[in-house]
Amino acid sequence: MATFSSGLSRQDTRKPSVFAGHHATVICNECNRSMVPRVVVYYGRPVKSVCPFCGATFARFPSGLQQFLQQFSQKIVSFAAFKRIALVATGFGLIWLLATIEILPSEMEALGIFGSIIFSAFGLTELCYQTIEFIAEQLSHKSSYYWSAIALIAILIQYVRDDLTRYVVMASFLMIVRWILAGFAAARNYSQ
């Protein structure tokens, strides 16, 4: 026969559990055992959750800065932005061609030259970004590892070959501008 504390009546103990009908467990990706993940905390901030059986990482928890930066990143890989940029670069190239063969006024030639060069550079930057993200997604890797490796290679190029420094700086500048523009576009879409 069950004994009850004086503070609880028999009716209070018969209330259904919060987890009634729901399982509070998940399957570990490594050992395939049913488990409740354990949270690892570092200086009061949750860092990750791990399997109590094999110790494999189940989930990582981003920091505040990472959460802020994730608002500006695209969640899916899409070459649609590259196609639009390539179309605009082609349009400026057409203006350049028509001004060169004097169908359009010659003053439009400078606009066509600068527009096609600038949008071609941004198109190549977008293509590079989407390709790296696509490769990381296909290989089930985190793209941050690829970007860290590219940053390390860029730093090494600057130390080994001084004559390539301006190209590394231009590529870095284009990536930063691309990131800012994509961030504003993502924030605008998120707000709508």
Side-chain angles (χ1 to χ4, degrees):
M1 186 162 145
T3 58
F4 299 99
S5 66
S6 61
L8 295 175
S9 68
R10 189 177 284 274
Q11 290 176 337
D12 290 336
T13 59
R14 291 186 186 167
K15 289 183 180 176
S17 169
V18 175
F19 296 110
H22 296 58
H23 294 285
T25 61
V26 294
I27 304 296
C28 176
N29 296 331
E30 294 294 321
C31 65
N32 294 323
R33 294 171 81 176
S34 179
M35 56 98 179
V36 176
R38 304 297 191 256
V39 177
V40 177
V41 178
Y42 184 71
Y43 285 108
R45 188 182 72 77
V47 177
K48 63 182 177 179
S49 62
V50 296
C51 173
F53 301 113
C54 66
T57 300
F58 180 72
R60 292 192 182 276
F61 306 120
S63 68
L65 178 63
Q66 288 172 333
Q67 289 176 356
F68 175 73
L69 294 176
Q70 285 174 353
Q71 292 178 353
F72 294 104
S73 66
Q74 298 172 347
K75 304 299 184 228
I76 56 171
V77 177
S78 170
F79 288 97
F82 169 72
K83 291 176 186 174
R84 281 184 254 143
I85 293 171
L87 184 64
V88 172
T90 305
F92 277 109
L94 186 62
I95 291 172
W96 181 10
L97 176 69
L98 293 176
T100 302
I101 60 174
E102 297 180 356
I103 294 177
L104 290 176
S106 61
E107 293 83 19
M108 299 289 287
E109 186 174 2
L111 175 69
I113 291 171
F114 289 122
S116 61
I117 290 172
I118 289 170
F119 280 98
S120 295
F122 278 117
L124 289 174
T125 304
E126 181 68 24
L127 181 64
C128 175
Y129 174 82
Q130 293 295 340
T131 301
I132 291 171
E133 293 291 325
F134 179 75
I135 291 170
E137 183 179 301
Q138 291 299 313
L139 297 176
S140 300
H141 294 156
K142 284 187 162 187
S143 63
S144 61
Y145 298 138
Y146 290 85
W147 291 112
S148 299
I150 288 173
L152 180 63
I153 290 169
I155 291 169
L156 289 175
I157 287 173
Q158 288 182 336
Y159 281 112
V160 174
R161 299 276 311 265
D162 290 336
D163 56 328
L164 297 178
T165 301
R166 70 176 146 251
Y167 299 114
V168 171
V169 170
M170 280 188 347
S172 301
F173 174 75
L174 287 171
M175 276 296 180
I176 290 170
V177 170
R178 184 249 165 241
W179 178 73
I180 291 170
L181 293 177
F184 282 128
R188 190 186 66 182
N189 291 340
Y190 181 74
S191 67
Q192 294 175 354

